[in-house]
Amino acid sequence: QIFLGGWVSTNYAVAACPDFPGCGGTLFPDVDWSTGFVFGRALGRNPDGSFLSIEALRAIHWAHRLGALTTALVVAAAAVMLMRGYGALRRQALWIKAALLAQILVGIGTVLFNQPILLATAHNFLAAALLGALVAAAARLK
């Protein structure tokens, strides 16, 4: 998910889906997966040097959103399991839940408020904080 977020950022794809929860006013946007995920090219450009199409940019952005949904479900489930099965990690699970919720809200805000730098930076920071909380919990489980 962190890779997808970086791919959105470095390909300038955040503005390709300026609304939420849809993208371009629909839950089924026109996307070009094959062009959006070509890795042997300059960022934001096609191999011939032209800019990526809006469909390719939407594919990149949409992949991050779909990944976010999947990641949120897995992380939330992990936090619930930590709270139920490992009393010593209850506090850690609460931090994970808080970081996850903040990450989701800031990510949505970044889109809805047209990507202000403060929110975009906070979204990156929260991704790192959430990863750190998960790694710390995994280390404590061992």
Side-chain angles (χ1 to χ4, degrees), residues 1 9-10 18 24 27-28 33-34 45 63 71 78 81 83 86 88 101 114 116-119 124:
Q1 183 57 15
S9 177
T10 56
L27 290 176
F28 302 100
W33 299 105
S34 63
R45 306 258 181 171
T71 301
M81 288 171 57
M83 290 185 79
Y86 302 93
L101 180 61
N114 198 22
I117 190 69
L118 182 61
L119 285 178
N124 288 336

Side-chain angles (χ1 to χ4, degrees), residues 5-100:
W7 198 244
V8 168
S9 177
T10 56
N11 281 283
Y12 315 104
V14 70
C17 293
D19 50 332
F20 184 87
C23 177
T26 181
L27 290 176
F28 302 100
D30 290 331
V31 294
D32 180 358
W33 299 105
S34 63
T35 304
F37 289 91
V38 171
F39 300 114
R41 61 171 172 75
L43 296 173
R45 306 258 181 171
N46 289 308
D48 66 4
S50 63
F51 288 104
L52 290 175
S53 68
I54 189 67
E55 293 81 12
L57 295 172
R58 282 185 190 139
I60 294 168
H61 191 123
W62 203 241
H64 184 54
R65 287 195 192 179
L66 295 173
L69 177 61
T70 303
T71 301
L73 292 173
V74 170
V75 169
V80 167
M81 288 171 57
L82 285 174
M83 290 185 79
R84 289 186 181 161
Y86 302 93
L89 292 177
R90 182 174 171 77
R91 189 174 188 163
Q92 188 80 32
L94 290 173
W95 278 110
I96 291 169
K97 285 180 173 181
L100 177 63

